[in-house]
Every structure is written in structure tokens, then in C-alpha cells.
Amino acid sequence: QVIKCKAAVLWEANKPFSIEEVEVAPPKEHEVRIKIMATGICRSDDHVVTGALVMPFPIILGHEAAGVVESVGQGVTSFKPGDKVIPLFIPQCGECKSCLNTKGNLCSKNDLALGGGLMSDGTTRFTCKGKAVHHFLGTSTFTEYTVAHESAVAKIDSAAPLEKVCLIGCGFSTGYGAALQTAKVEPGSTCAVFGLGGVGLSVIIGCKVAGASRIIAVDINSDKFARAKELGATDCINPKDFQKPIHEVVIEMTGQGVDYSFEVIGRTDTMTAALACCQYNYGVSVIVGVPPAAQKITFDPMLLFTGRSWKGSVFGGWKSKDSVPKLVADYMNKKFVLDALITHTLPFTKINEGFDLLRKGK
């Protein structure tokens, strides 16, 4: 059956979301239809609004959520109606080169690179006012019901609080994994984290769990420092408070720079600053923030020649279907907290207010 429900449709760039009645088609073969119970707002969604991440319109954004399976398509055996699940914007097909390699997690079935906004058969499951509406990253969670491919859904503990564990669908896992999986931060090491939004704070949680001895938090909004310290940052610095470049400040604070640095903003100038502030020979710098479209980066190659490593991390390096249920279990076992990452809880119809809060750094 087609389901009629509310969704936040983005008809064009730089416009507010419009709460519309949409039709959600039943799941096709190997697809799952999910009732979304909670969804987070991520800067990557806003990048589509501003045009920094190019996607086709109209579109239903959202990719950080948790919900309950409503129905399953033909051939789906691992899910049944009533299962609690998290949709995965990085799927895990289990068959492509990245899935088969222990070092990889960016399944080739992802829609991040393609940006086509369609399901694997080249069509969409959403219509609004007679028009086809595009999917976003195979998840589209700003709607009461969505459809995802079974390779892009993880079944989780039935006791998990969905309004908390929805963050494991993107922000938390992305930051936490950048520290633990991508950088492999060791006990006693020093770290610098550029950007203290939800993902940056999750990097701090990961560095702390890994046993880092010093975690330097960097942001131009000093209002974010108290929460960063609460989660494990040992030092907080605001680039606006210094006359010299921020990488020089970090090097002076640490002697030779940090062992690990993380750029969690998505700006090219902070990416080079993060690279420059890590130890000149064995330092590792990780790009976690989504880079803006059509921008290039210029840097002194000597920064890499001396031995530093520059890495990227997508979804924290986790193999999504394997790792998300385990991360939920770790949360249930109190290995880390998520509550501190949640600043506001709003009804779905106030989604535009939520985006205003994001843009104001609140």
C-alpha cells in the first residue's frame, strides 16, 4: 500500500523546508519501508540547502535517524515489521571491493559520490503534488516514512531509545570512528580537534575513550568550550584570540605539534591548518568535515614529505551494517554518552527552527 504522510520537502536551494503531504510507495525487492521515530540535523543536510553539496531537487533530506520497520519488500529475510533500525547513508553490500577489504568501508553502492538521488532501480519512492521527489544518500529521514535498500539498514537492540541512538546513524559514529578507527589514537597521545559541533565533540569522546593524554579543542565560538571540556577536552583555544596562525599556537603548546589532528568543519583553510599542526614526521591528520564543492586546496608538499599522513574518514571508517548494532550495544552498556550531544528536541514541524539553531552554532 502507498502511505500518505508528512515530509519536509526542499523544492530548491536556499529556501526553507516545506512540510508537505507526500506519497511513499511500498518497498520493492530487497527494500525496507521504515517509520522514522527520530532524526538528527547534520551540517551535511545544510550543505545541500546552501548548494555546497550538489544534489537534484526536489529532495527529502536527512540521513541521521532511527525508526521501526513498517513493511519489507520481496526477498528481504533479515528484517520484519516492528524491528528497530537505523538507516545507513553508507550501505554495506558485502560484495564490492571496499566491503570485501578489511580496510575499507565506503561501499560502492553509496549515493555520496553519485548524488543521483534515486533508488538502485533508477526510480524514486516519493511523490508530492504529482511530482517525483528525490532521495538523499539512500536514507531521506526528514519524513514520517522512508524506503531504504536492505543493505542500507541496520537492525538494533529493541530496547534502545531511538531519540538518542539516532545520532549513531551519522554524527556520533563519524566523529568517534575518526578517532578510534581512522586515526587509531593511542593511549598517552596528543590530539587537536578543529570544530566543536556534534561531530567534533564525538571525536573528543573517541580520543578520550582511546586514552589520549591531551585533547586540544579549536573553535571560533567560545560558547562551545564548556561542553567540549565536559566531554574530555583538556585545552580549548579560539583562533580569534591570537595574532599568529592557529597551527603555530598548537605547535607551541605541544612542543612539536600533536600526534593526531582532526578537521571537523569542512573548510579548506582549516584542513591545511590541521595538517600543519600535527607532528612533522609521524603526525596523522584526518579530514572528517565534508569538503565544499568546487574548492581546491593548496598546501606546501613539504608538510607531507617529512612523513606526516593525511587521511580522510567517511562515517568514521566503520563498516556500517556490522558496526552500527555494536555501537548501539556499546551505548546501552554505557561505554560512551550521547545525551551531551543533544542540545534541543523539537517537533518535526519546527525543522526550519532546528536549522536556524544549527546555523547559529547553538
Side-chain angles (χ1 to χ4, degrees):
Q1 295 293 322
V2 170
I3 289 180
K4 288 188 174 178
C5 68
K6 281 197 185 74
V9 178
L10 191 66
W11 292 100
E12 52 184 304
N14 296 303
K15 286 277 163 46
F17 291 88
S18 175
I19 302 288
E20 306 275 8
E21 182 180 83
V22 298
E23 291 88 43
V24 184
K28 294 191 182 178
E29 199 175 359
H30 295 297
E31 292 177 357
V32 180
R33 187 160 59 182
I34 303 163
K35 181 179 183 31
I36 298 290
M37 306 304 282
T39 183
I41 288 176
C42 176
R43 180 68 75 177
S44 308
D45 300 307
D46 194 45
H47 284 334
V48 181
V49 179
T50 61
L53 186 60
V54 180
M55 291 284 161
F57 295 102
I59 190 167
I60 294 173
L61 295 176
H63 62 283
E64 176 181 279
V68 176
V69 173
E70 176 272 332
S71 59
V72 299
Q74 223 183 320
V76 174
T77 53
S78 47
F79 300 98
K80 61 184 188 306
D83 284 348
K84 282 193 177 178
V85 293
I86 288 180
L88 309 168
F89 73 93
I90 300 295
Q92 188 181 345
C93 72
E95 294 163 2
C96 70
K97 261 190 153 169
S98 290
C99 282
L100 291 171
N101 190 306
T102 55
K103 294 184 279 195
N105 78 317
L106 185 56
C107 173
S108 65
K109 301 270 194 303
N110 81 84
D111 196 40
L112 201 59
L114 303 169
L118 300 169
M119 297 298 281
S120 51
D121 67 350
T123 64
T124 165
R125 304 291 165 268
F126 300 118
T127 42
C128 180
K129 298 176 179 169
K131 281 190 178 156
V133 178
H134 291 89
H135 293 253
F136 179 55
L137 303 182
T139 50
S140 288
T141 62
F142 292 167
T143 168
E144 291 175 322
Y145 288 88
T146 192
V147 176
H149 192 273
E150 66 175 338
S151 65
V153 183
K155 183 177 164 178
I156 60 166
D157 183 340
S158 61
L162 300 182
E163 75 285 358
K164 305 268 200 281
V165 298
C166 61
L167 299 182
I168 291 174
C170 176
F172 173 75
S173 306
T174 295
Y176 187 68
L180 292 177
Q181 286 279 109
T182 308
K184 296 189 166 49
V185 172
E186 303 116 343
S189 55
T190 55
C191 304
V193 181
F194 288 71
L196 302 177
V199 185
L201 294 173
S202 301
V203 174
I204 291 174
I205 294 171
C207 292
K208 190 179 179 187
V209 166
S213 62
R214 195 168 183 192
I215 303 169
I216 300 168
V218 186
D219 202 296
I220 54 171
N221 178 354
S222 300
D223 294 346
K224 300 198 168 187
F225 291 169
R227 195 165 294 225
K229 287 208 155 143
E230 184 193 323
L231 290 170
T234 53
D235 307 75
C236 293
I237 54 175
N238 187 330
K240 290 178 170 173
D241 296 341
F242 300 92
Q243 296 296 314
K244 58 178 72 164
I246 197 66
H247 73 272
E248 290 179 16
V249 175
V250 175
I251 289 169
E252 277 175 23
M253 287 170 72
T254 52
Q256 283 196 345
V258 291
D259 300 313
Y260 300 98
S261 67
F262 301 86
E263 198 282 351
V264 205
I265 304 163
R267 289 177 57 103
T268 53
D269 54 343
T270 40
M271 287 172 188
T272 33
L275 177 67
C277 84
C278 70
Q279 207 274 351
Y280 66 88
N281 175 222
Y282 53 77
V284 175
S285 187
V286 183
I287 292 176
V288 191
V290 177
Q295 279 202 19
K296 298 284 179 272
I297 202 160
T298 309
F299 69 101
D300 178 356
M302 189 57 87
L303 287 170
L304 291 179
F305 171 76
T306 54
R308 283 182 185 88
S309 304
W310 212 355
K311 301 181 92 159
S313 180
V314 66
F315 193 57
W318 305 109
K319 285 192 185 285
S320 58
K321 249 175 122 71
D322 294 345
S323 304
V324 163
K326 291 179 189 158
L327 288 166
V328 171
D330 284 347
Y331 169 73
M332 299 298 278
N333 292 326
K334 301 188 166 48
K335 188 171 174 185
F336 51 79
V337 294
L338 291 173
D339 303 46
L341 301 175
I342 300 170
T343 53
H344 299 74
T345 304
L346 301 167
F348 180 45
T349 48
K350 294 198 170 171
I351 188 164
N352 287 308
E353 289 179 36
F355 273 84
D356 287 341
L357 289 164
L358 172 82
R359 291 168 192 139
K360 287 175 183 158
K362 292 186 158 63

PDB file of all heavy atoms in Angstrom, residues 246-269:
ATOM      1  N   ILE A 246      46.857  29.596  13.752  1.00  0.00           N
ATOM      2  CA  ILE A 246      46.483  28.676  14.819  1.00  0.00           C
ATOM      3  C   ILE A 246      47.388  27.438  14.877  1.00  0.00           C
ATOM      4  O   ILE A 246      47.631  26.888  15.957  1.00  0.00           O
ATOM      5  CB  ILE A 246      44.985  28.306  14.737  1.00  0.00           C
ATOM      6  CG1 ILE A 246      44.481  27.706  16.052  1.00  0.00           C
ATOM      7  CG2 ILE A 246      44.703  27.371  13.565  1.00  0.00           C
ATOM      8  CD1 ILE A 246      44.470  28.663  17.217  1.00  0.00           C
ATOM      9  N   HIS A 247      47.921  27.016  13.725  1.00  0.00           N
ATOM     10  CA  HIS A 247      48.788  25.824  13.776  1.00  0.00           C
ATOM     11  C   HIS A 247      50.072  26.128  14.558  1.00  0.00           C
ATOM     12  O   HIS A 247      50.600  25.257  15.251  1.00  0.00           O
ATOM     13  CB  HIS A 247      49.094  25.282  12.370  1.00  0.00           C
ATOM     14  CG  HIS A 247      50.043  26.114  11.561  1.00  0.00           C
ATOM     15  ND1 HIS A 247      49.617  27.153  10.769  1.00  0.00           N
ATOM     16  CD2 HIS A 247      51.395  26.057  11.419  1.00  0.00           C
ATOM     17  CE1 HIS A 247      50.661  27.702  10.171  1.00  0.00           C
ATOM     18  NE2 HIS A 247      51.750  27.067  10.550  1.00  0.00           N
ATOM     19  N   GLU A 248      50.532  27.374  14.493  1.00  0.00           N
ATOM     20  CA  GLU A 248      51.725  27.756  15.259  1.00  0.00           C
ATOM     21  C   GLU A 248      51.424  27.741  16.760  1.00  0.00           C
ATOM     22  O   GLU A 248      52.261  27.357  17.574  1.00  0.00           O
ATOM     23  CB  GLU A 248      52.222  29.142  14.832  1.00  0.00           C
ATOM     24  CG  GLU A 248      52.815  29.153  13.426  1.00  0.00           C
ATOM     25  CD  GLU A 248      53.291  30.553  13.008  1.00  0.00           C
ATOM     26  OE1 GLU A 248      53.438  31.443  13.884  1.00  0.00           O
ATOM     27  OE2 GLU A 248      53.509  30.741  11.799  1.00  0.00           O
ATOM     28  N   VAL A 249      50.221  28.159  17.112  1.00  0.00           N
ATOM     29  CA  VAL A 249      49.804  28.156  18.520  1.00  0.00           C
ATOM     30  C   VAL A 249      49.815  26.723  19.064  1.00  0.00           C
ATOM     31  O   VAL A 249      50.343  26.453  20.151  1.00  0.00           O
ATOM     32  CB  VAL A 249      48.387  28.766  18.668  1.00  0.00           C
ATOM     33  CG1 VAL A 249      47.899  28.666  20.106  1.00  0.00           C
ATOM     34  CG2 VAL A 249      48.370  30.215  18.187  1.00  0.00           C
ATOM     35  N   VAL A 250      49.253  25.793  18.274  1.00  0.00           N
ATOM     36  CA  VAL A 250      49.190  24.384  18.708  1.00  0.00           C
ATOM     37  C   VAL A 250      50.599  23.796  18.827  1.00  0.00           C
ATOM     38  O   VAL A 250      50.907  23.082  19.789  1.00  0.00           O
ATOM     39  CB  VAL A 250      48.313  23.548  17.746  1.00  0.00           C
ATOM     40  CG1 VAL A 250      48.343  22.066  18.116  1.00  0.00           C
ATOM     41  CG2 VAL A 250      46.878  24.059  17.750  1.00  0.00           C
ATOM     42  N   ILE A 251      51.469  24.140  17.874  1.00  0.00           N
ATOM     43  CA  ILE A 251      52.841  23.625  17.925  1.00  0.00           C
ATOM     44  C   ILE A 251      53.556  24.159  19.179  1.00  0.00           C
ATOM     45  O   ILE A 251      54.235  23.405  19.885  1.00  0.00           O
ATOM     46  CB  ILE A 251      53.612  23.979  16.625  1.00  0.00           C
ATOM     47  CG1 ILE A 251      53.061  23.143  15.462  1.00  0.00           C
ATOM     48  CG2 ILE A 251      55.109  23.743  16.791  1.00  0.00           C
ATOM     49  CD1 ILE A 251      53.532  23.561  14.081  1.00  0.00           C
ATOM     50  N   GLU A 252      53.345  25.420  19.496  1.00  0.00           N
ATOM     51  CA  GLU A 252      53.965  25.987  20.705  1.00  0.00           C
ATOM     52  C   GLU A 252      53.435  25.325  21.976  1.00  0.00           C
ATOM     53  O   GLU A 252      54.178  25.078  22.923  1.00  0.00           O
ATOM     54  CB  GLU A 252      53.711  27.496  20.782  1.00  0.00           C
ATOM     55  CG  GLU A 252      54.718  28.281  19.952  1.00  0.00           C
ATOM     56  CD  GLU A 252      54.430  29.773  19.916  1.00  0.00           C
ATOM     57  OE1 GLU A 252      53.746  30.281  20.827  1.00  0.00           O
ATOM     58  OE2 GLU A 252      54.906  30.419  18.955  1.00  0.00           O
ATOM     59  N   MET A 253      52.150  25.013  21.990  1.00  0.00           N
ATOM     60  CA  MET A 253      51.541  24.392  23.175  1.00  0.00           C
ATOM     61  C   MET A 253      52.077  22.987  23.423  1.00  0.00           C
ATOM     62  O   MET A 253      52.112  22.513  24.552  1.00  0.00           O
ATOM     63  CB  MET A 253      50.015  24.287  22.998  1.00  0.00           C
ATOM     64  CG  MET A 253      49.287  25.605  23.101  1.00  0.00           C
ATOM     65  SD  MET A 253      47.548  25.432  22.604  1.00  0.00           S
ATOM     66  CE  MET A 253      46.874  24.513  23.988  1.00  0.00           C
ATOM     67  N   THR A 254      52.464  22.309  22.322  1.00  0.00           N
ATOM     68  CA  THR A 254      52.792  20.883  22.438  1.00  0.00           C
ATOM     69  C   THR A 254      54.268  20.570  22.220  1.00  0.00           C
ATOM     70  O   THR A 254      54.688  19.429  22.408  1.00  0.00           O
ATOM     71  CB  THR A 254      51.980  20.084  21.404  1.00  0.00           C
ATOM     72  OG1 THR A 254      52.182  20.680  20.112  1.00  0.00           O
ATOM     73  CG2 THR A 254      50.502  20.091  21.730  1.00  0.00           C
ATOM     74  N   GLY A 255      55.046  21.546  21.780  1.00  0.00           N
ATOM     75  CA  GLY A 255      56.455  21.283  21.522  1.00  0.00           C
ATOM     76  C   GLY A 255      56.717  21.000  20.061  1.00  0.00           C
ATOM     77  O   GLY A 255      57.395  21.757  19.395  1.00  0.00           O
ATOM     78  N   GLN A 256      56.168  19.913  19.530  1.00  0.00           N
ATOM     79  CA  GLN A 256      56.405  19.605  18.106  1.00  0.00           C
ATOM     80  C   GLN A 256      55.117  19.386  17.331  1.00  0.00           C
ATOM     81  O   GLN A 256      55.129  18.866  16.222  1.00  0.00           O
ATOM     82  CB  GLN A 256      57.257  18.343  17.984  1.00  0.00           C
ATOM     83  CG  GLN A 256      58.731  18.585  18.276  1.00  0.00           C
ATOM     84  CD  GLN A 256      59.583  17.438  17.786  1.00  0.00           C
ATOM     85  OE1 GLN A 256      59.090  16.355  17.479  1.00  0.00           O
ATOM     86  NE2 GLN A 256      60.882  17.664  17.700  1.00  0.00           N
ATOM     87  N   GLY A 257      54.021  19.766  17.922  1.00  0.00           N
ATOM     88  CA  GLY A 257      52.745  19.503  17.266  1.00  0.00           C
ATOM     89  C   GLY A 257      52.094  18.268  17.874  1.00  0.00           C
ATOM     90  O   GLY A 257      52.720  17.535  18.644  1.00  0.00           O
ATOM     91  N   VAL A 258      50.837  18.042  17.522  1.00  0.00           N
ATOM     92  CA  VAL A 258      50.095  16.914  18.098  1.00  0.00           C
ATOM     93  C   VAL A 258      50.351  15.630  17.316  1.00  0.00           C
ATOM     94  O   VAL A 258      50.773  15.667  16.163  1.00  0.00           O
ATOM     95  CB  VAL A 258      48.579  17.215  18.117  1.00  0.00           C
ATOM     96  CG1 VAL A 258      48.260  18.320  19.116  1.00  0.00           C
ATOM     97  CG2 VAL A 258      48.057  17.571  16.724  1.00  0.00           C
ATOM     98  N   ASP A 259      50.075  14.501  17.955  1.00  0.00           N
ATOM     99  CA  ASP A 259      50.194  13.212  17.257  1.00  0.00           C
ATOM    100  C   ASP A 259      49.068  13.050  16.231  1.00  0.00           C
ATOM    101  O   ASP A 259      49.268  12.493  15.159  1.00  0.00           O
ATOM    102  CB  ASP A 259      50.112  12.055  18.267  1.00  0.00           C
ATOM    103  CG  ASP A 259      51.216  12.120  19.310  1.00  0.00           C
ATOM    104  OD1 ASP A 259      52.381  12.322  18.905  1.00  0.00           O
ATOM    105  OD2 ASP A 259      50.930  11.987  20.515  1.00  0.00           O
ATOM    106  N   TYR A 260      47.875  13.544  16.604  1.00  0.00           N
ATOM    107  CA  TYR A 260      46.691  13.377  15.736  1.00  0.00           C
ATOM    108  C   TYR A 260      45.915  14.681  15.690  1.00  0.00           C
ATOM    109  O   TYR A 260      45.679  15.309  16.723  1.00  0.00           O
ATOM    110  CB  TYR A 260      45.765  12.276  16.288  1.00  0.00           C
ATOM    111  CG  TYR A 260      46.445  10.934  16.370  1.00  0.00           C
ATOM    112  CD1 TYR A 260      46.978  10.483  17.578  1.00  0.00           C
ATOM    113  CD2 TYR A 260      46.579  10.137  15.240  1.00  0.00           C
ATOM    114  CE1 TYR A 260      47.639   9.263  17.649  1.00  0.00           C
ATOM    115  CE2 TYR A 260      47.239   8.917  15.301  1.00  0.00           C
ATOM    116  CZ  TYR A 260      47.771   8.481  16.501  1.00  0.00           C
ATOM    117  OH  TYR A 260      48.423   7.288  16.563  1.00  0.00           O
ATOM    118  N   SER A 261      45.520  15.094  14.480  1.00  0.00           N
ATOM    119  CA  SER A 261      44.641  16.259  14.368  1.00  0.00           C
ATOM    120  C   SER A 261      43.443  15.892  13.501  1.00  0.00           C
ATOM    121  O   SER A 261      43.525  15.006  12.641  1.00  0.00           O
ATOM    122  CB  SER A 261      45.390  17.462  13.782  1.00  0.00           C
ATOM    123  OG  SER A 261      45.743  17.220  12.433  1.00  0.00           O
ATOM    124  N   PHE A 262      42.334  16.574  13.753  1.00  0.00           N
ATOM    125  CA  PHE A 262      41.069  16.265  13.059  1.00  0.00           C
ATOM    126  C   PHE A 262      40.428  17.553  12.598  1.00  0.00           C
ATOM    127  O   PHE A 262      40.249  18.480  13.394  1.00  0.00           O
ATOM    128  CB  PHE A 262      40.108  15.549  14.029  1.00  0.00           C
ATOM    129  CG  PHE A 262      40.667  14.268  14.589  1.00  0.00           C
ATOM    130  CD1 PHE A 262      41.465  14.296  15.735  1.00  0.00           C
ATOM    131  CD2 PHE A 262      40.424  13.054  13.976  1.00  0.00           C
ATOM    132  CE1 PHE A 262      42.009  13.118  16.249  1.00  0.00           C
ATOM    133  CE2 PHE A 262      40.965  11.875  14.480  1.00  0.00           C
ATOM    134  CZ  PHE A 262      41.756  11.908  15.621  1.00  0.00           C
ATOM    135  N   GLU A 263      40.068  17.623  11.322  1.00  0.00           N
ATOM    136  CA  GLU A 263      39.339  18.779  10.794  1.00  0.00           C
ATOM    137  C   GLU A 263      37.881  18.359  10.677  1.00  0.00           C
ATOM    138  O   GLU A 263      37.544  17.463   9.905  1.00  0.00           O
ATOM    139  CB  GLU A 263      39.898  19.183   9.424  1.00  0.00           C
ATOM    140  CG  GLU A 263      39.522  20.603   9.009  1.00  0.00           C
ATOM    141  CD  GLU A 263      38.114  20.788   8.476  1.00  0.00           C
ATOM    142  OE1 GLU A 263      37.390  19.793   8.239  1.00  0.00           O
ATOM    143  OE2 GLU A 263      37.721  21.941   8.268  1.00  0.00           O
ATOM    144  N   VAL A 264      37.017  18.994  11.492  1.00  0.00           N
ATOM    145  CA  VAL A 264      35.627  18.553  11.558  1.00  0.00           C
ATOM    146  C   VAL A 264      34.706  19.724  11.233  1.00  0.00           C
ATOM    147  O   VAL A 264      33.699  19.956  11.901  1.00  0.00           O
ATOM    148  CB  VAL A 264      35.298  17.963  12.954  1.00  0.00           C
ATOM    149  CG1 VAL A 264      34.147  16.981  12.853  1.00  0.00           C
ATOM    150  CG2 VAL A 264      36.501  17.247  13.549  1.00  0.00           C
ATOM    151  N   ILE A 265      35.095  20.492  10.195  1.00  0.00           N
ATOM    152  CA  ILE A 265      34.314  21.664   9.802  1.00  0.00           C
ATOM    153  C   ILE A 265      33.918  21.552   8.333  1.00  0.00           C
ATOM    154  O   ILE A 265      32.761  21.730   7.971  1.00  0.00           O
ATOM    155  CB  ILE A 265      35.127  22.966  10.028  1.00  0.00           C
ATOM    156  CG1 ILE A 265      35.584  23.061  11.494  1.00  0.00           C
ATOM    157  CG2 ILE A 265      34.295  24.196   9.651  1.00  0.00           C
ATOM    158  CD1 ILE A 265      36.690  24.059  11.729  1.00  0.00           C
ATOM    159  N   GLY A 266      34.917  21.238   7.486  1.00  0.00           N
ATOM    160  CA  GLY A 266      34.661  21.184   6.056  1.00  0.00           C
ATOM    161  C   GLY A 266      35.116  22.465   5.366  1.00  0.00           C
ATOM    162  O   GLY A 266      34.496  22.932   4.424  1.00  0.00           O
ATOM    163  N   ARG A 267      36.228  23.025   5.859  1.00  0.00           N
ATOM    164  CA  ARG A 267      36.802  24.233   5.239  1.00  0.00           C
ATOM    165  C   ARG A 267      38.236  23.923   4.817  1.00  0.00           C
ATOM    166  O   ARG A 267      38.986  23.301   5.570  1.00  0.00           O
ATOM    167  CB  ARG A 267      36.824  25.395   6.234  1.00  0.00           C
ATOM    168  CG  ARG A 267      35.469  25.978   6.573  1.00  0.00           C
ATOM    169  CD  ARG A 267      35.644  27.063   7.622  1.00  0.00           C
ATOM    170  NE  ARG A 267      36.564  28.119   7.164  1.00  0.00           N
ATOM    171  CZ  ARG A 267      36.172  29.309   6.730  1.00  0.00           C
ATOM    172  NH1 ARG A 267      34.901  29.617   6.722  1.00  0.00           N
ATOM    173  NH2 ARG A 267      37.062  30.195   6.331  1.00  0.00           N
ATOM    174  N   THR A 268      38.629  24.401   3.643  1.00  0.00           N
ATOM    175  CA  THR A 268      39.970  24.076   3.154  1.00  0.00           C
ATOM    176  C   THR A 268      41.070  24.741   3.987  1.00  0.00           C
ATOM    177  O   THR A 268      42.136  24.160   4.188  1.00  0.00           O
ATOM    178  CB  THR A 268      40.120  24.467   1.677  1.00  0.00           C
ATOM    179  OG1 THR A 268      39.732  25.836   1.523  1.00  0.00           O
ATOM    180  CG2 THR A 268      39.234  23.607   0.794  1.00  0.00           C
ATOM    181  N   ASP A 269      40.822  25.954   4.525  1.00  0.00           N
ATOM    182  CA  ASP A 269      41.875  26.619   5.306  1.00  0.00           C
ATOM    183  C   ASP A 269      42.119  25.875   6.625  1.00  0.00           C
ATOM    184  O   ASP A 269      43.275  25.750   7.067  1.00  0.00           O
ATOM    185  CB  ASP A 269      41.526  28.095   5.561  1.00  0.00           C
ATOM    186  CG  ASP A 269      40.160  28.294   6.208  1.00  0.00           C
ATOM    187  OD1 ASP A 269      39.338  27.361   6.175  1.00  0.00           O
ATOM    188  OD2 ASP A 269      39.897  29.389   6.739  1.00  0.00           O
TER     189      ASP A 269
END
